[in-house]
Amino acid sequence: MMKNEATLYDVLNHLPDGVIMLDERGVLLFANEAFTELIGHESSLLVGLNILSLLANVDVFHACIQQVTREGRSIDAETDFLHRDGSIVRTVKSVRMIRNDQDVRFFVNIRNLTETNLLNKELRRSKELIEYQAQELSTLLNSKNQELEEILGSIDEIIWYIDTKSFALRYVNNAVEMIFGFNRDAFLSDSDLWQQRIHPDDRALVRTFFETLVPGLSQEIRFRIHHSNQELRWLSSRIHHHPKLNLYIGITRDITEHKTQSDEITFLAYYDPLTMLPNRAKLKLQLESRIEHSAGTPFALLLLDLDNFKNINDTMGHEVGDQILIEVSRRLLLAKEEHDFCARFGGDEFVLLLQNADPIEIGHFCTRLTEHFKNPFTVNDISFYLSHSIGITFYPQDAFIGEDLIKHADTAMYEAKSKGRNQFVYYHTSMQRAIHNFLHIESLVRDGLTHHLFELYFQPLINSKVLELEGFEALLRLPHPTEGFVPPDTFISVAETNGDILSIGDEVLKQACDFIEILRPLRSKPFFVAINISAKQLHQEHFSRELLDYLHQRSIPTSFLKIELTESAVMENIEIASAQLAQLKAGGIRIALDDFGTGYSSFAYLAQLPIDTLKIDKSFILTLFEIDSHRHIVEAMSNLAHVLGMSVTAEGVETLKHFDFLIHRQVDTLQGYHLCRPLPKTEILRLIKAEAPYFTSSGL
């Protein structure tokens, strides 16, 4: 063996990566010690052996050789080798073709993908490098052997040596040009160039790393550099401090793509890609950190839920809903202080952690937040007015762990929902009972739907001018076989919250149509049945069309059905409500605005909506003679409705005194216990068949 070859092979034997040389047939001409250790074979047994016997998949050899020969450049690929013990060794290889006179050789650099194995090999190589004679290393650095330069030039990682005292670069291979954009001569002529290309924010980190690197040990560091085209790149260097040679010996590779992918994965793990806010996982870490390091320092947790946001998604589509969520996130960030934390908890729920735990200040914050939500959320030229409900808990007053803080805030948030729009509620232990009650009522509602327990009662509506029946209001009842009569005020709110109101609405429509079909042959005069429609129903995209189609399928003229809805249901999204009501009106359905005066009481929008009947809420009728202003309010609402071409219905007529007052004020339709209580279908039909009067102006 020639002296230069011996030197070359000695060098290759001290590299931490596996290195082999093959001829065109795949016969091993050389294998360094790193490769022999990688696959568990003796070096003397490998030379002359065909590489195919060491591959888990022999097809990769031919494909690789063909590609390298065809493209004439180094290629990287993952390859599985067979270990002597039969196990699979996963590696990544870099292949380079070298022509020497008439001979063609393939130089292969092989790196073990197992981090632990790589570290062990590098540590062993470090030990061997420590023992390597300074003269031999000097010979390597000064060697002009063309074959050695070909080998080092075929490696895609930068191999370099830096003086431990001056930090001057003493040697670097050609790979530096691909990674830094400057050729090796530029680096060797300017020994400080490598430091100048390091990102300014990382220079102190790199300097400290070198200065603290223990002699004889190897460590890894990651830092950023600027390519010659000013592109930012991430590098990873494994560096060994050689005490005898007074050199830092390193291998550096470009990990920009891997780092970018890793950062994206990390971002997706802890941030919401829609709003760019921290997600639930990040919130959990934040809570754990605050509690662990707070030493009992109090803070507040606010759980905010958008009211009836699902209606927007269902009617306008998720793209519109997503745009609203992005704007909600922006307004939350504007409202919070610098050191507060805001996360998207999921769906339309958000969590804020506030450092200021003073309940009075928290109240002011919630009020400011409501102000931020007053302006409409505009998407595609459509304005949406959103309200929210907030549950508030305090650490450590309400709980000592994050999960319980969130659970209690959720309890308080549902309590806030029950109080109306834009409400905030502080958690109290008594709320747990309310949650248990909610779940109990929810189970009764599910029983009612599953076993068809819901039943409609019908209360007559009396024409005040001729004192004759003009229709019925259908009122839902839930007579549970084991729990007894469940009041509508109890189960309707639960069904509205959990979405069961949609199934209940379908049941109400079916039973109302059943009643109409039975009553039509028995009654010669016109009549109608009024059913109550919830906000969730009204905001279903195809609600109006499906209701009209259902009546058509059952051959029921639309004049027999009237719908009643509340002001709040209309005002949740007046644009959507207007469109739905216009379609119903065009189809022949009459529309009544129920409980007028208890909600927004905005006269301005009345003229814009296709309302046929204004129903004065019974709270005004029952107190006609206790509160003077209520008599004036009733007269004003009646006059306004008539001016707008609407009829007026008064509910809650419970005394003769109520009856006489409303008759003289020309209220068109009367409804209440003084005339007739709500009756089950069978009782209504019995009275009609008997031709018996089932209402009287003097009460039953």
Side-chain angles (χ1 to χ4, degrees):
M1 182 180 296
M2 296 176 60
K3 180 180 179 181
N4 284 344
E5 289 181 333
T7 301
L8 170 62
Y9 292 142
D10 286 344
V11 169
L12 296 178
N13 276 327
H14 284 86
L15 287 177
D17 289 343
V19 176
I20 60 175
M21 188 176 295
L22 313 169
D23 64 12
E24 293 176 283
R25 297 168 301 164
V27 176
L28 283 164
L29 304 177
F30 170 77
N32 73 346
E33 293 182 9
F35 181 76
T36 60
E37 288 187 16
L38 182 69
I39 63 174
H41 287 278
E42 296 291 337
S43 177
S44 60
L45 298 177
L46 291 176
V47 176
L49 193 66
N50 195 292
I51 192 66
L52 298 178
S53 62
L54 302 176
L55 294 173
N57 181 359
V58 297
D59 293 335
V60 300
F61 170 73
H62 299 294
C64 180
I65 294 301
Q66 290 174 4
Q67 185 177 355
V68 173
T69 304
R70 181 175 63 255
E71 299 179 6
R73 63 181 181 85
S74 173
I75 64 168
D76 295 337
E78 292 189 10
T79 303
D80 293 343
F81 284 90
L82 295 173
H83 194 274
R84 184 180 180 185
D85 61 9
S87 62
I88 298 296
V89 180
R90 297 191 178 278
T91 71
V92 61
K93 70 176 187 300
S94 176
V95 183
R96 178 73 177 268
M97 182 176 69
I98 302 172
R99 294 185 182 274
N100 188 6
D101 296 331
Q102 299 302 317
D103 295 327
V104 175
R105 299 288 184 264
F106 294 94
F107 178 81
V108 186
N109 183 71
I110 300 165
R111 173 164 294 182
N112 191 349
L113 290 179
T114 305
E115 190 66 26
T116 302
N117 291 343
L118 178 61
L119 179 59
N120 290 336
K121 287 193 300 180
E122 290 176 347
L123 289 174
R124 288 197 297 272
R125 296 301 168 266
S126 299
K127 181 180 179 182
E128 293 169 359
L129 281 171
I130 294 172
E131 298 169 351
Y132 199 73
Q133 296 181 2
Q135 186 57 44
E136 291 177 324
L137 183 56
S138 177
T139 301
L140 168 64
L141 294 173
N142 295 312
S143 174
K144 300 301 181 180
N145 183 280
Q146 184 60 36
E147 187 172 7
L148 178 58
E149 288 299 324
E150 285 280 352
I151 292 171
L152 295 178
S154 70
I155 300 174
D156 291 335
E157 289 87 356
I158 302 173
I159 298 176
W160 50 263
Y161 310 93
I162 294 175
D163 188 279
T164 57
K165 295 180 180 178
S166 66
F167 285 93
L169 184 69
R170 297 303 186 201
Y171 174 81
V172 67
N173 68 343
N174 289 329
V176 72
E177 182 172 358
M178 179 177 62
I179 295 177
F180 278 82
F182 296 90
N183 62 38
R184 60 180 298 197
D185 292 337
F187 278 95
L188 293 174
S189 61
D190 183 354
S191 58
D192 292 330
L193 179 59
W194 72 274
Q195 295 185 70
Q196 296 169 11
R197 304 312 301 174
I198 296 175
H199 191 286
D201 293 343
D202 292 350
R203 288 174 187 170
L205 170 70
V206 174
R207 187 85 180 194
T208 302
F209 175 85
F210 278 107
E211 292 173 347
T212 57
L213 185 58
V214 177
L217 293 183
S218 297
Q219 294 289 339
E220 184 174 350
I221 183 174
R222 295 185 176 189
F223 56 93
R224 294 165 293 174
I225 61 103
H226 284 293
H227 191 272
S228 62
N229 62 10
Q230 299 307 311
E231 177 185 338
L232 188 66
R233 294 192 177 185
W234 276 93
L235 304 185
S236 174
S237 291
R238 171 68 67 177
I239 302 171
H240 172 73
H241 185 172
H242 199 304
K244 291 184 179 180
L245 298 178
N246 294 319
L247 292 174
Y248 295 112
I249 304 171
I251 299 178
T252 298
R253 67 182 186 276
D254 189 336
I255 60 167
T256 304
E257 183 177 354
H258 170 76
K259 184 71 168 58
T260 301
Q261 293 174 349
S262 177
D263 289 346
E264 289 177 355
I265 292 171
T266 300
F267 178 84
L268 292 175
Y270 291 108
Y271 289 85
D272 170 43
L274 175 66
T275 63
M276 309 301 285
L277 290 178
N279 62 11
R280 185 181 300 211
K282 185 69 172 178
L283 171 65
K284 180 181 179 183
L285 294 178
Q286 180 75 5
L287 278 171
E288 290 174 351
S289 176
R290 289 200 178 204
I291 291 172
E292 181 180 354
H293 301 102
S294 69
T297 303
F299 63 86
L301 184 149
L302 281 64
L303 177 60
L304 179 147
D305 180 88
L306 302 177
D307 296 328
N308 298 314
F309 180 75
K310 185 176 183 297
N311 291 338
I312 295 177
N313 272 339
D314 291 343
T315 57
M316 304 302 295
H318 287 278
E319 289 186 4
V320 171
D322 287 348
Q323 291 303 310
I324 291 176
L325 289 174
I326 292 171
E327 177 61 16
V328 167
S329 303
R330 189 187 70 83
R331 297 188 190 185
L332 289 177
L333 292 176
L334 287 175
K336 78 176 188 67
E337 299 294 333
E338 179 182 359
H339 300 294
D340 296 334
F341 178 84
C342 180
R344 184 185 179 192
F345 191 63
D348 60 345
E349 291 184 331
F350 298 83
V351 168
L352 295 111
L353 303 181
L354 307 185
Q355 283 192 336
N356 192 330
D358 180 357
I360 296 177
E361 290 300 321
I362 296 297
H364 293 330
F365 173 83
C366 292
T367 301
R368 291 198 306 273
L369 203 57
T370 300
E371 290 297 317
H372 281 282
F373 274 67
K374 274 189 175 179
N375 292 328
F377 293 77
T378 304
V379 181
N380 299 334
D381 296 327
I382 300 177
S383 296
F384 300 89
Y385 292 86
L386 294 185
S387 62
H388 56 266
S389 302
I390 301 176
I392 306 168
T393 52
F394 294 98
Y395 171 86
Q397 174 182 327
D398 295 322
F400 292 99
I401 62 176
E403 185 178 346
D404 287 344
L405 281 171
I406 294 173
K407 182 175 69 175
H408 295 337
D410 188 59
T411 299
M413 184 268 291
Y414 275 103
E415 181 71 15
K417 278 189 176 296
S418 69
K419 293 180 179 296
R421 302 157 62 93
N422 290 325
Q423 299 293 316
F424 61 90
V425 170
Y426 299 96
Y427 170 77
H428 189 272
T429 53
S430 62
M431 293 178 184
Q432 290 297 333
R433 292 193 298 272
I435 290 294
H436 290 310
N437 183 59
F438 179 93
L439 295 175
H440 176 64
I441 298 300
E442 184 178 52
S443 69
L444 298 183
V445 170
R446 299 283 166 82
D447 284 347
L449 289 170
T450 302
H451 302 293
H452 305 289
L453 302 178
F454 285 105
E455 179 183 356
L456 286 186
Y457 277 45
F458 299 90
Q459 186 171 31
L461 299 168
I462 308 304
N463 186 307
S464 65
K465 296 180 177 58
V466 296
L467 295 182
E468 289 185 357
L469 175 75
E470 64 179 35
F472 303 88
E473 180 180 1
L475 300 168
L476 191 62
R477 301 291 184 260
L478 177 55
H480 196 276
T482 59
E483 299 290 332
F485 182 81
V486 183
D489 290 346
T490 300
F491 69 76
I492 289 295
S493 60
V494 172
E496 286 273 9
T497 301
N498 67 9
D500 285 338
I501 195 67
L502 298 177
S503 298
I504 291 176
D506 292 340
E507 181 66 22
V508 168
L509 178 60
K510 177 185 177 302
Q511 289 193 31
C513 288
D514 291 343
F515 179 70
I516 292 171
E517 286 183 339
I518 296 172
L519 195 57
R520 284 179 68 185
L522 302 178
R523 181 173 172 82
S524 58
K525 293 183 179 181
F527 73 94
F528 63 84
V529 173
I531 61 173
N532 291 279
I533 300 300
S534 73
K536 287 187 181 294
Q537 289 175 278
L538 187 63
H539 293 131
Q540 294 295 301
E541 184 176 2
H542 304 294
F543 168 73
S544 299
R545 184 71 268 156
E546 289 176 353
L547 188 149
L548 292 170
D549 288 345
Y550 183 78
L551 292 177
H552 178 71
Q553 290 167 12
R554 297 194 59 164
S555 300
I556 297 176
T558 53
S559 60
F560 284 94
L561 191 70
K562 191 173 188 177
I563 69 165
E564 295 187 3
L565 42 92
T566 63
E567 289 179 87
S568 59
V570 173
M571 290 303 295
E572 273 191 21
N573 193 308
I574 193 166
E575 287 87 356
I576 294 175
S578 296
Q580 295 276 29
L581 296 179
Q583 189 172 5
L584 290 172
K585 181 74 176 227
I589 301 287
R590 283 174 288 177
I591 301 163
L593 190 64
D594 199 5
D595 299 341
F596 186 75
T598 62
Y600 292 87
S601 300
S602 174
F603 295 151
Y605 71 81
L606 277 178
Q608 304 173 22
L609 297 172
I611 304 297
D612 297 287
T613 301
L614 193 68
K615 293 193 72 173
I616 301 174
D617 185 69
K618 65 182 180 181
S619 61
F620 294 102
I621 306 302
L622 295 176
T623 55
L624 277 174
F625 304 105
E626 286 78 32
I627 303 175
D628 290 341
S629 61
H630 281 190
R631 291 194 294 278
H632 301 302
I633 290 173
V634 169
E635 287 187 69
M637 287 193 288
S638 178
N639 292 335
L640 173 67
H642 288 142
V643 168
L644 295 175
M646 304 175 189
S647 64
V648 182
T649 297
E651 55 185 5
V653 183
E654 296 194 354
T655 67
L656 180 60
K657 203 172 181 182
H658 295 153
F659 179 85
D660 290 338
F661 176 86
L662 296 168
I663 288 287
H664 287 94
R665 296 313 183 276
Q666 298 180 338
V667 173
D668 304 290
T669 305
L670 306 178
Q671 174 185 357
Y673 282 14
H674 175 70
L675 301 167
C676 185
R677 295 176 178 273
L679 299 172
K681 176 179 65 177
T682 53
E683 184 63 14
I684 293 286
L685 296 176
R686 184 188 68 79
L687 291 171
I688 288 180
K689 289 177 181 179
E691 298 184 352
Y694 49 88
F695 73 92
T696 171
S697 62
S698 59
L700 292 176

